[in-house]
Amino acid sequence: MADLNYLGRRIRHARTQAGLTLAQLGAEVGIAPSQLSLIENGHREPRLTALNAIASRLGVTVSELIEPTPPSRRDALEVELEAAQSTQAYRELGLPEVRPPRTVPDDVLTALVGLHRELERRNRLAIATPEEARRANTRQRLHMQQRDDYLPEIEELAEKDVSDAGHDTGALTHRTVGLMAERLGLEIVHVDDIPHSARCVLDLENGRIYTPLASIPGGHGLRSLALQAMAHLRLGHGEPKDYGDFLRQRQEASYYAAACLLPRAAATAFLIRARDEHDIAIEDLRDAFGVTHEAAALRFSNLATSQLGIPLHVLRVAGDGAIVKAYENDGLPLPVDATGATEGQTVCREWSARQAFARRFRTTEYYQYTDTPAGTFFEATQTGTTGADEFAITVGVPYKESRWFRGRESTIRTVSRCPDLSCCRRPDAEVAARWGGRAWVSPRVHTHTFSPLPQGTYPGVDDGELYAFLEAHRGDAHPEG
Ligand SMILES: [Zn+2]
């Protein structure tokens, strides 16, 4: 319907530009003025022959007429007002639908549309609760599970972009990432005043990607950030409609960046060689492509099932055992809350992620077999720290797939009965009786627990701070490259 609406408006716009009345144009192209009026109002679709005749009489092309955008600012306002008045939220107000005649000045229309936008923004704000965010996060995780964590369209796009920039083998260099940006008309600028609520900022007007100064020279983080910014352009992302849309965009952007840093063909070839030697190890994938352990584990997840036929689970678990990020398509029983969300839930103490924290030597991966009610899994975990926080990255597979992995000879085997509370959540009755009421503890606040701060257009981002940053850098003549 929107397209017919635009088509009608474009015809009317071209007709008034040509100084013709409905009757005049109708007579020349052999359509009754009443029919032409229905077409201009978006109520009737013209036949192709009629469309050709109208276009040639008005001196425009058919493709100009069928372009799905409003022909003028006035039309854009009218279309937006119509759309706003047809929403459930507006209908609930019981107010009349108005169709402002052409005699209504543009600023009246601008004010009306502005009020509708604000109404919509406030409605969005009201539903952007942490609970809704958790639900959206869960929907996104299940959506990716259905696709085996694999997005072929983005793989192809990344493969093409990387090869167009002249990269064919090995780790993607900063220089190649810079070339890829250049091909999009963008320049990567490192600054020390990125808004606190942002990781990186894309300035579309001046063609710049602002990223923070490198804290670790040569770290993969900056390449990844710049690639994620480029992804938003390459994937045609606009302002997110809601939290779910925001999450989808963010996941697609990270996917694109990962697919550039570890291109499908090269990474798959690497993994197939390792599989044939029964020596798949995330640490090797990490080192071969110069990325973090987490990036390598997440990338392995994209390729494991789709390219090697291996189902798996990937977890990022914080030092206290809480899940920061989780994916599975191998049936591992992830802990979930009432909404189905897994972020912030504590994993079983018997799982590799938590057992690994107890090790004193952590320079290599830790391997173990974990028996669960859903079967036995082989798991490899690498631990690390960021600032004061510990984390563990685990990649696990069902028992029968362990034969492809380094560490499969591990003799460590634990038994997890979670979600059965008696497994590791409920203390031994005797011990509980001894300590009940005889201790007090001050709990640590879960800062990593997923909770969005819906402030601006992008959840958690402060628009005021963001725009002040862009203003401050607008005049940069020779930004540091
Ligand atoms: Zn347990």
Side-chain angles (χ1 to χ4, degrees):
M1 261 338 263
D3 286 359
L4 274 193
N5 193 350
Y6 289 135
L7 173 65
R9 285 175 181 277
R10 287 190 161 268
I11 292 172
R12 186 194 295 135
H13 186 73
R15 174 176 64 75
T16 49
Q17 295 282 91
L20 295 174
T21 62
L22 275 175
Q24 285 167 332
L25 178 61
E28 294 198 34
V29 298
I31 303 174
S34 59
Q35 295 301 307
L36 201 50
S37 170
L38 285 173
I39 291 171
E40 288 192 357
N41 286 316
H43 296 314
R44 176 151 305 173
E45 189 172 8
R47 290 169 192 279
L48 191 60
T49 49
L51 194 58
N52 276 318
I54 291 169
S56 81
R57 174 58 191 90
L58 297 177
V60 295
T61 63
V62 171
S63 61
E64 280 173 70
L65 289 181
I66 60 176
E67 196 191 314
T69 53
S72 68
R73 179 172 148 66
R74 171 81 189 194
D75 283 279
L77 287 170
E78 288 179 3
V79 168
E80 190 173 344
L81 183 63
E82 268 173 44
Q85 292 182 144
S86 66
T87 59
Q88 181 70 20
Y90 183 75
R91 291 217 182 103
E92 282 171 2
L93 300 177
L95 294 170
E97 263 186 57
V98 291
R99 278 200 159 231
R102 288 265 152 184
T103 47
V104 169
D106 282 6
D107 58 355
V108 174
L109 216 49
T110 304
L112 267 178
V113 165
L115 286 171
H116 276 289
R117 280 186 195 161
E118 180 58 16
L119 184 68
E120 207 239 311
R121 193 187 73 85
R122 290 182 184 219
N123 282 338
R124 264 203 308 179
L125 216 57
I127 58 160
T129 59
E131 182 176 317
E132 175 49 28
R134 291 172 73 77
R135 286 185 194 280
N137 215 32
T138 302
R139 281 194 294 272
Q140 182 66 19
R141 177 166 56 80
L142 297 178
H143 171 74
M144 288 307 287
Q145 187 185 49
Q146 274 177 358
R147 305 187 67 171
D148 284 333
D149 208 20
Y150 181 64
L151 302 173
E153 323 81 59
I154 298 183
E155 295 284 352
E156 272 143 42
L157 185 67
E159 224 156 36
K160 180 181 181 306
D161 288 354
V162 166
S163 106
D164 285 354
H167 178 81
D168 48 11
T169 177
L172 196 66
T173 61
H174 277 91
R175 189 179 138 66
T176 307
V177 174
L179 283 175
M180 289 173 70
E182 227 170 77
R183 295 174 62 91
L184 291 173
L186 296 170
E187 177 178 25
I188 299 172
V189 184
H190 301 289
V191 291
D192 60 5
D193 60 344
I194 286 274
H196 295 208
S197 53
R199 293 189 304 172
C200 95
V201 175
L202 186 55
D203 173 353
L204 294 169
E205 191 181 296
N206 300 296
R208 293 180 195 149
I209 299 172
Y210 293 104
T211 68
L213 295 169
S215 50
I216 309 163
H220 106 291
L222 293 185
R223 282 177 292 152
S224 178
L225 279 184
L227 288 166
Q228 286 181 46
M230 287 181 234
H232 287 295
L233 274 188
R234 292 296 282 136
L235 300 170
H237 290 165
E239 285 185 4
K241 288 194 298 292
D242 53 31
Y243 197 77
D245 202 28
F246 162 76
L247 282 180
R248 181 186 55 79
Q249 290 186 358
R250 198 173 63 164
Q251 176 143 36
E252 288 179 359
S254 320
Y255 196 110
Y256 174 84
C260 289
L261 289 167
L262 300 97
R264 177 174 57 183
T268 303
F270 182 90
L271 290 170
I272 286 175
R273 270 199 307 279
R275 181 197 61 191
D276 292 348
E277 290 165 15
H278 298 265
D279 198 28
I280 297 178
I282 300 304
E283 57 187 8
D284 287 2
L285 184 66
R286 168 195 76 197
D287 296 345
F289 289 89
V291 295
T292 61
H293 199 88
E294 181 174 15
L298 295 174
R299 185 61 179 143
F300 180 65
S301 173
N302 301 148
L303 301 174
T305 311
S306 65
Q307 310 298 304
L308 307 177
I310 301 175
L312 81 169
H313 59 268
V314 180
L315 313 170
R316 181 186 169 111
V317 171
D320 59 1
I323 289 180
V324 179
K325 213 182 267 180
Y327 169 83
E328 62 80 18
N329 69 350
D330 62 359
L332 180 79
L334 291 174
V336 292
D337 70 9
T339 69
T342 191
E343 296 78 16
Q345 298 295 300
T346 305
V347 302
C348 177
R349 208 182 293 157
E350 302 298 334
W351 288 11
S352 168
R354 293 186 68 187
Q355 295 288 317
F357 284 126
R359 271 203 321 164
R360 286 182 55 205
F361 301 105
R362 297 181 176 179
T363 46
T364 54
E365 288 179 277
Y366 163 79
Y367 308 107
Q368 79 166 36
Y369 289 89
T370 314
D371 292 333
T372 79
T376 299
F377 294 87
F378 168 73
E379 299 186 296
T381 295
Q382 176 70 55
T383 51
T385 53
T386 51
D389 293 325
E390 285 187 297
F391 64 88
I393 309 293
T394 296
V395 169
V397 295
Y399 179 81
K400 75 177 175 74
E401 305 291 350
S402 65
R403 64 187 190 277
W404 309 119
F405 288 81
R406 180 178 302 166
R408 66 188 176 283
E409 66 288 345
S410 171
T411 53
I412 305 172
R413 189 161 191 154
T414 64
V415 177
S416 160
R417 284 176 291 108
C418 275
D420 181 342
L421 290 176
S422 69
C423 168
C424 59
R425 269 150 233 260
R426 189 180 289 151
D428 181 71
E430 200 180 309
V431 177
R434 174 157 16 102
W435 287 105
R438 293 187 181 84
W440 179 86
V441 64
S442 167
R444 245 170 89 157
V445 176
H446 280 224
T447 47
H448 50 73
T449 301
F450 204 71
S451 74
L453 307 159
Q455 291 162 4
T457 311
Y458 292 85
V461 172
D462 180 338
D463 277 352
E465 195 189 9
L466 173 65
Y467 296 146
F469 167 82
L470 287 167
E471 276 295 310
H473 284 276
R474 215 170 61 164
D476 291 2
H478 298 289
E480 181 204 336

